[in-house]
Amino acid sequence: MKKLSYDIVVVGGGPAGMAAALEARKAGVEKILICERGGKLGGILEQCIHNGFGLQYFKEELTGPEYATRFSDQVEASDIDVKVNTMVMDIQEDKKVIAVNPEDGLFEVETKAVILAMGCRERTRESITIPGDRPSGVMCAGTAQRYVNINGYLPGKEIVILGSGDIGLIMARRMTLEGANVKGVLELMPYSTGLVRNKVQCLDDFGIPLYLSHTVTKIHGKNRVEGVSIAEVGPDRNPIPETEVFIPCDTLLLSVGLIPENELSKKVGVDLDRVTRGAVVDEKRRTNKDWIFACGNVLHVHDLVDNVTEESELAGRAAAGYIFGTYAPRKNPITVKPGNNIGYVVPQSIRYHDESQKVIRLYMRVRNPQENVTMEIKDDKGEVLAKFKKDIVEPGSMVNLALPTMKLTEDMKEITVSVAE
Amino acid sequence: MLSLKVQVRQVLPDLAGDPWRSQAETGAVRRCFRPPRRVTAANIMRKGADMKTDVLIIGGGVIGACIARQLSRYNIDVVIVEKESDVCTGTSKANSSMLHDGYNVDGHKLKGKMVLKATKEIYREMCDELHVDMKLCGSIFAGFTDEDLATMHKQVKMAEENGITNLEIIDHDAMMIKEPHMNPTVRYGLYNPNTGVLNPFELTMALAENAVINGAKVFLNTEVTDIKVKNQKIDAVITTNGVFYPKVVINSAGLYSDKIAAMVEDVDFYVRPRRGQYYLYDKQFGGWVNHCIYSPPTETSKGMIIVPTTEGNILAGSNAEMLDDKTDFSTTKEALDEIYNTMIHHLYPDLPRVGDVTTVFAGLRAASNTEDFIIEHARTVRGMINLVGIQSPGLSSAPAIADLVEEMVRAVGEDLDFTKKPDWIPGRPKPVILNRMTYEERSQFIAQNPDYGQIICRCESISKGEILDAIRRPIPATSLDGIKRRTRAGMGRCQGGFCGPRVVKILEEELGIDPTEVTKRGRDSRILAMRAKELALQEGGSHEKIKL
């Protein structure tokens, strides 16, 4: 088995991995390796040929591949090593990474730090156990996106979409532009879970109906999908039998959630958050293993790639800081807790003094939509450290709040973020 | 007319200068086995011509495949016809995957005799010869009440009558040591060390491959539509893919065995599908269940099972529902709720209802009206052997059933040549399964074939090389499910979301077919409708939306 040695191994060459590697390189780390399982850098952006990327980070509107190229060009111009078609099989306690590709075979990389940037996978029809037949023509929206945009083939002509996640909304428009008839989008929850702009641009503009509080109760078709039974759900989210109707279609696309892909992390003993299903991290995106960092959708699912980039740059700088021993730990780590109507907050703790960091951005999702609210960050004595007014908060849109670091005192142990009642 | 070609497929052995053969004989299959030629659409989808054969086996389930292997030892022409696009698609595919020792079966019934005869030693030898993974994990009947304890004592007695004397009733503490994740209110366990698990698809495939290597022919996508009788003897078997003129017909058509039998004469038996639904759990729970666990019978159910599969998942089910439709493999919310609430949640409270569930599925037991196996000659026609009602413990009984059927074939096929083939091969080329190897072994395989280093299925870490092997095996995978069952690519937690488009590409390239012809599992289960843009250029089209 071939043996290599690097300072940082970045697992994943999507937007998160690229930004983290570039930033670590800028911070002075010399030997960096990116392992990418696809045939080239870019990750999922490769198949996201729609626009809307980069509005925050580049202040211009780019397509997915364009956004990816901004970074992959820089990586290629740098001395960061990239191995494509490379699957990381194992990250070992002794700081060795085992990976495989056709050229090198299995190889072992000794490293000082690892940055996890594996992204996420789509929740399946099987995992939410939609009953019925098991025909072809049921697939996740992202898989359909790959078939259409990369393979160049259309999965079906008469489409029903379950779930109002962003990929589902994007695919509603994509399939319509390809000539397919998208009959409607169903959402189990009483609110849309995707971004508002995607609902407007992908459904409303094309006359595609969105039915909230509805779900698919059964899939029909022995070989290929012939239709789905759909029904309204009650407040308990259980289908109301008398509302059930049959909708003929040949394809059911699912956009019912994304799950950070943390099997590697789990194996090496990284603690995971039950809500995000990503690692539990501090403000440097450092996990309970002090040499392992996580960023991007493997940490928590983002709405915007721009946020992924910012977070990953932070993780890249932090991994460099770890290697160079830059950061001094606080006397007490501060636990960041989700309070009223907050589903989760990343980071889950604050552990370091860093003079260069004037604010710490806390990323979160609310549990339920609310209008005209005040969001508060309070310390363990109930003192409000920061307050933010929001016109609207909803689970489909990540909120980020800037916490000024000067507000943090040495003996603070806990802060809570909540929507004020 | 490519779609026609997909329907018709034949697998012929090519033994002349066959590298598999010499490898198998030396017992040292070190390399990926390369077929003598590139398998393309042209040579695996050949149309079946009208042909004579000694024995025609109807149905490529575990029973048909096991009989084919048994008869391939002799100088007898054996043909399997299977109506689906792959072997092992019916009852053999979706079941508990358990190997029973027959401790709780009535030893006077035929199914009792068969399962008791097919001992674990016989099974072990067969699995070793065929490189099939078999795990003798033992089973435990979990008891929570005094009534359960009484049932256990009854079962111990029944086992003794069947000659099985090594069962053991254990207490709460012993249970918790054996099964630490189980509901701690469990009071007793009936421990049976003789029970095992295997992958029924892997076994059926191995049996059929071995038969093919030894000269048997397998016709897929070939459905029997009629059987002609002349002078009280089988004359011709009409199929959707040619006419066969066999001396002996073996009807191992599972759910349809009653229908096939009735093509020849009036019969007094019938098969009704009895559906059972299952949960398959993510591998992260792999270590949670160490034995096959029987749940106690309740008012509504005869008891269900939780099984640790050979691949490290947990399989849990199943209920029993009598149906009329032999093609209804659908799952229902009612049954899934019932199985979860009454059994899974009760035995292993931490297993979830949704979420880390890899999949749910249903199987159809081929239940006869007698509730026993019916293995007998046709009554008025010579040369027809019916196997009807082979449900649990059919998988466990397969080798004994094959022995019995051989005797029956000898009885009616007196002009068949039962001389043993001197060069009969008991095994098959060992499939390359990288996950079961050490890193060093893997490296050697990748060095010889870089395709083994290209991971296609990321959940199960399955390489392109393994997928190509599956397409090039003696019985080739030609669909996504075919690949999935042979290699596990697409069987993991993302259910093919990631690897699906990549496997479609490999199938299209390797089989030389259009992407729109790639199916999930044959017939009209196409994955893709048409090229992108084609539909957008067409006139008209539908615009109907859902209106509620």
Side-chain angles (χ1 to χ4, degrees):
Chain A
M1 205 158 62
K2 198 164 163 178
K3 289 189 192 326
L4 305 169
S5 172
Y6 282 90
D7 294 330
I8 297 179
V9 175
V10 181
V11 186
M18 291 194 290
L22 284 167
E23 205 60 20
R25 183 70 195 90
K26 271 183 215 156
V29 180
E30 283 176 0
K31 292 197 68 188
I32 301 173
L33 173 67
I34 300 178
C35 293
E36 163 56 38
R37 61 191 162 203
K40 59 182 219 185
L41 291 172
I44 204 71
L45 289 176
E46 189 193 359
Q47 68 186 55
C48 299
I49 62 172
H50 52 282
N51 58 3
F53 298 92
L55 284 168
Q56 282 182 20
Y57 191 81
F58 290 113
K59 309 279 181 254
E60 54 183 310
E61 195 164 37
L62 305 171
T63 64
E66 283 174 322
Y67 190 95
T69 307
R70 295 271 167 114
F71 293 88
S72 59
D73 282 352
Q74 288 181 59
V75 173
E76 272 151 33
S78 76
D79 56 3
I80 296 168
D81 285 344
V82 177
K83 286 188 184 291
V84 293
N85 292 318
T86 300
M87 184 82 184
V88 171
M89 309 294 290
D90 200 13
I91 300 168
Q92 296 177 176
E93 287 274 9
D94 57 1
K95 299 193 185 180
K96 282 179 184 143
V97 175
I98 311 286
V100 66
N101 69 29
E103 254 175 54
D104 304 285
L106 265 166
F107 61 97
E108 182 186 287
V109 190
E110 201 174 358
T111 186
K112 292 175 183 157
V114 166
I115 299 176
L116 305 172
M118 294 89 81
C120 57
R121 64 169 180 268
E122 296 180 276
R123 185 167 281 146
T124 63
R125 173 243 165 130
E126 288 81 5
S127 78
I128 59 172
T129 66
I130 303 175
D133 296 318
R134 299 165 74 209
S136 69
V138 181
M139 63 179 78
C140 293
T143 306
Q145 189 177 46
R146 188 172 175 93
Y147 276 124
V148 176
N149 294 347
I150 306 286
N151 292 38
Y153 282 83
L154 199 59
K157 303 174 196 173
E158 295 283 318
I159 322 284
V160 172
I161 298 176
L162 174 62
S164 58
D166 287 313
I167 316 171
L169 301 178
I170 294 289
M171 282 313 290
R173 176 174 66 184
R174 186 85 197 100
M175 299 294 278
T176 305
L177 294 174
E178 288 291 340
N181 176 31
V182 178
K183 302 184 98 170
V185 177
L186 311 171
E187 171 55 55
L188 180 73
M189 305 305 287
Y191 47 82
S192 170
T193 60
L195 294 173
V196 176
R197 74 169 199 223
N198 281 337
K199 182 189 168 290
V200 173
Q201 293 171 7
C202 300
L203 300 187
D204 301 353
D205 288 0
F206 293 88
I208 299 168
L210 168 65
Y211 290 101
L212 300 175
S213 298
H214 277 76
T215 194
V216 171
T217 51
K218 193 166 182 185
I219 294 170
H220 304 263
K222 300 238 154 97
N223 297 307
R224 176 79 197 188
V225 174
E226 288 161 15
V228 292
S229 294
I230 68 172
E232 195 178 338
V233 298
D236 60 353
R237 290 185 218 161
N238 275 322
I240 304 165
E242 49 273 27
T243 64
E244 192 170 275
V245 287
F246 176 79
I247 305 291
C249 62
D250 64 10
T251 304
L252 173 67
L253 297 186
L254 293 155
S255 178
V256 292
L258 298 168
I259 301 168
E261 192 126 274
N262 272 300
E263 279 65 37
L264 276 176
S265 333
K266 250 192 262 183
K267 253 200 312 193
V268 67
V270 168
D271 288 342
L272 300 187
D273 184 306
R274 288 177 67 95
V275 179
T276 62
R277 300 189 56 150
V280 174
V281 292
D282 61 33
E283 81 280 21
K284 299 293 180 195
R285 301 302 183 268
R286 189 174 185 169
T287 69
N288 58 313
K289 301 274 168 193
D290 65 355
W291 52 283
I292 302 180
F293 298 77
C295 55
N297 282 351
V298 78
L299 181 58
H300 59 132
V301 175
H302 297 64
D303 308 323
L304 301 173
V305 70
D306 309 68
N307 289 338
V308 167
T309 301
E310 282 162 18
E311 176 174 270
S312 305
E313 288 178 343
L314 178 62
R317 280 194 296 274
Y322 162 73
I323 288 172
F324 300 133
T326 313
Y327 308 121
R330 306 178 61 85
K331 191 174 87 191
N332 302 310
I334 302 171
T335 306
V336 183
K337 281 182 63 176
N340 178 55
N341 196 22
I342 303 290
Y344 73 81
V345 187
V346 169
Q348 288 87 344
S349 69
I350 296 169
R351 283 203 290 201
Y352 299 94
H353 288 290
D354 180 0
E355 293 299 316
S356 70
Q357 202 169 0
K358 299 290 174 226
V359 294
I360 292 174
R361 284 197 176 277
L362 305 179
Y363 294 84
M364 68 207 67
R365 286 184 195 274
V366 295
R367 287 180 196 278
N368 297 302
Q370 261 182 287
E371 285 181 28
N372 298 319
V373 294
T374 303
M375 301 186 71
E376 294 172 337
I377 305 174
K378 289 183 185 167
D379 68 9
D380 25 17
K381 295 184 195 80
E383 208 121 320
V384 177
L385 304 178
K387 242 184 184 177
F388 309 85
K389 286 233 178 279
K390 300 275 171 190
D391 295 342
I392 185 162
V393 288
E394 45 189 5
S397 301
M398 193 193 283
V399 180
N400 82 71
L401 304 179
L403 169 65
T405 40
M406 54 179 281
K407 299 274 188 181
L408 301 173
T409 61
E410 198 54 27
D411 46 337
M412 221 175 249
K413 284 189 182 145
E414 190 177 290
I415 58 173
T416 306
V417 187
S418 49
V419 178
E421 285 174 76
Chain B
M1 294 310 288
L2 274 165
S3 58
L4 248 182
K5 277 203 283 170
V6 179
Q7 306 231 326
V8 174
R9 188 175 308 137
Q10 174 189 359
V11 184
L12 291 169
D14 183 356
L15 293 174
D18 186 343
W20 303 327
R21 195 177 186 88
S22 53
Q23 281 178 22
E25 271 165 358
T26 58
V29 185
R30 305 292 311 165
R31 232 159 37 81
C32 142
F33 48 94
R34 286 268 157 235
R37 61 191 185 279
R38 190 180 138 89
V39 178
T40 63
N43 61 27
I44 63 163
M45 295 175 187
R46 205 178 313 163
K47 183 160 169 46
D50 296 356
M51 65 182 290
K52 286 190 172 179
T53 179
D54 292 332
V55 176
L56 182 80
I57 299 169
I58 303 172
V62 68
I63 301 298
C66 202
I67 295 169
R69 176 177 190 248
Q70 178 90 1
L71 296 179
S72 75
R73 296 164 196 261
Y74 309 105
N75 279 326
I76 297 174
D77 295 331
V78 178
V79 169
I80 298 179
V81 289
E82 165 57 52
K83 69 178 169 54
E84 299 298 327
S85 65
D86 205 344
V87 299
C88 199
T89 60
T91 304
S92 304
K93 175 195 68 182
N95 52 63
S96 72
S97 77
M98 280 170 69
L99 286 180
H100 302 276
D101 65 345
Y103 81 96
N104 53 1
V105 180
D106 181 349
H108 303 292
K109 284 190 166 184
L110 181 57
K111 62 179 173 187
K113 288 183 185 132
M114 290 291 109
V115 69
L116 291 169
K117 209 180 137 208
T119 62
K120 60 177 185 288
E121 288 75 23
I122 291 174
Y123 239 101
R124 169 63 71 200
E125 189 188 336
M126 184 169 82
C127 287
D128 286 350
E129 283 174 348
L130 294 169
H131 306 293
V132 169
D133 202 12
M134 166 186 161
K135 195 164 70 173
L136 204 63
C137 55
S139 65
I140 302 176
F141 165 19
F144 293 81
T145 63
D146 291 339
E147 254 171 53
D148 294 339
L149 183 62
T151 310
M152 285 178 194
H153 283 296
K154 256 187 251 167
Q155 292 201 347
V156 170
K157 206 162 158 264
M158 198 165 175
E160 280 166 1
E161 280 167 21
N162 286 345
I164 296 164
T165 55
N166 59 349
L167 304 194
E168 195 187 336
I169 294 178
I170 58 178
D171 64 7
H172 166 84
D173 292 351
M175 276 299 284
M176 295 318 288
I177 291 167
K178 284 191 184 296
E179 293 293 337
H181 286 91
M182 189 179 276
N183 180 348
T185 65
V186 67
R187 289 168 63 196
Y188 315 103
L190 176 60
Y191 174 60
N192 175 353
N194 314 314
T195 311
V197 289
L198 52 65
N199 174 345
F201 183 84
E202 188 183 355
L203 175 68
T204 306
M205 180 57 56
L207 290 164
E209 282 189 351
N210 173 262
V212 168
I213 288 167
N214 286 303
K217 299 179 181 72
V218 178
F219 287 77
L220 300 172
N221 299 303
T222 302
E223 183 169 351
V224 173
T225 52
D226 200 7
I227 301 176
K228 298 288 181 205
V229 176
K230 210 195 262 174
N231 302 330
Q232 259 99 56
K233 284 185 76 173
I234 296 291
D235 177 44
V237 176
I238 319 291
T239 75
T240 52
N241 185 24
V243 179
F244 295 84
Y245 298 94
K247 291 177 182 158
V248 179
V249 170
I250 295 167
N251 167 18
S252 54
L255 289 163
Y256 300 90
S257 54
D258 55 346
K259 192 178 139 202
I260 297 286
M263 289 177 182
V264 169
E265 60 183 3
D266 290 337
V267 293
D268 57 2
F269 49 72
Y270 59 84
V271 175
R272 265 188 87 187
R274 189 188 289 138
R275 183 168 64 188
Q277 304 188 27
Y278 292 91
Y279 287 74
L280 186 71
Y281 282 99
D282 191 279
K283 280 181 171 178
Q284 64 177 284
F285 303 112
W288 281 28
V289 179
N290 303 317
H291 305 78
C292 300
I293 306 297
Y294 289 94
S295 71
T298 64
E299 272 172 33
T300 53
S301 139
K302 289 202 304 183
M304 303 189 208
I305 46 100
I306 298 189
V307 172
T309 70
T310 49
E311 306 289 351
N313 297 89
I314 291 177
L315 179 67
S318 64
N319 62 333
E321 310 157 68
M322 288 309 274
L323 304 182
D324 292 313
D325 181 356
K326 293 178 176 180
T327 65
D328 188 358
F329 286 86
S330 65
T331 56
T332 62
K333 184 176 185 299
E334 297 70 31
L336 292 172
D337 282 343
E338 182 208 327
I339 294 166
Y340 184 78
N341 295 331
T342 63
M343 195 268 285
I344 299 173
H345 186 67
H346 178 51
L347 288 179
Y348 289 87
D350 294 335
L351 285 175
R353 167 69 177 81
V354 294
D356 292 315
V357 177
T358 301
T359 192
V360 292
F361 64 91
L364 297 180
R365 306 171 182 93
S368 72
N369 50 309
T370 67
E371 289 296 332
D372 195 3
F373 296 170
I374 300 170
I375 303 176
E376 54 189 35
H377 294 285
R379 294 186 189 156
T380 60
V381 175
R382 193 169 173 81
M384 171 97 172
I385 297 166
N386 292 314
L387 292 99
V388 181
I390 314 292
Q391 50 162 332
S392 179
L395 175 67
S396 312
S397 306
I401 292 175
D403 275 344
L404 174 63
V405 170
E406 181 191 327
E407 290 311 311
M408 295 170 76
V409 174
R410 282 175 186 267
V412 288
E414 50 279 274
D415 52 341
L416 297 183
D417 179 4
F418 269 92
T419 320
K420 282 202 168 174
K421 283 178 192 156
D423 54 352
W424 184 77
I425 299 163
R428 59 167 185 156
K430 187 176 180 177
V432 174
I433 303 174
L434 298 169
N435 276 340
R436 294 187 190 164
M437 295 179 190
T438 64
Y439 284 152
E440 286 309 320
E441 284 173 316
R442 253 190 220 221
S443 300
Q444 289 169 16
F445 273 90
I446 298 166
Q448 284 178 31
N449 178 0
D451 283 340
Y452 288 129
Q454 174 78 54
I455 300 294
I456 299 290
C457 165
R458 61 191 191 192
C459 300
E460 300 286 323
S461 300
I462 307 299
S463 67
K464 185 177 182 185
E466 290 164 279
I467 292 170
L468 289 173
D469 286 352
I471 303 174
R472 294 166 178 170
R473 286 198 73 90
I475 295 172
T478 56
S479 64
L480 283 190
D481 278 4
I483 298 282
K484 178 174 85 175
R485 294 189 190 124
R486 283 168 183 78
T487 66
R488 290 186 67 80
M491 211 178 250
R493 45 184 73 89
C494 89
Q495 287 287 294
F498 176 79
C499 68
R502 290 158 177 87
V503 175
V504 166
K505 244 190 146 51
I506 295 172
L507 276 169
E508 105 196 26
E509 286 168 9
E510 191 63 14
L511 297 176
I513 58 176
D514 192 78
T516 55
E517 291 178 300
V518 177
T519 64
K520 179 168 159 59
R521 51 164 174 267
R523 296 184 188 262
D524 190 29
S525 62
R526 287 172 303 117
I527 306 292
L528 300 170
M530 53 176 60
R531 286 188 84 87
K533 303 283 180 279
E534 244 173 51
L535 193 55
L537 294 170
Q538 284 173 14
E539 300 275 324
S542 104
H543 302 284
E544 205 185 299
K545 306 295 178 198
I546 299 175
K547 284 197 190 75
L548 298 177

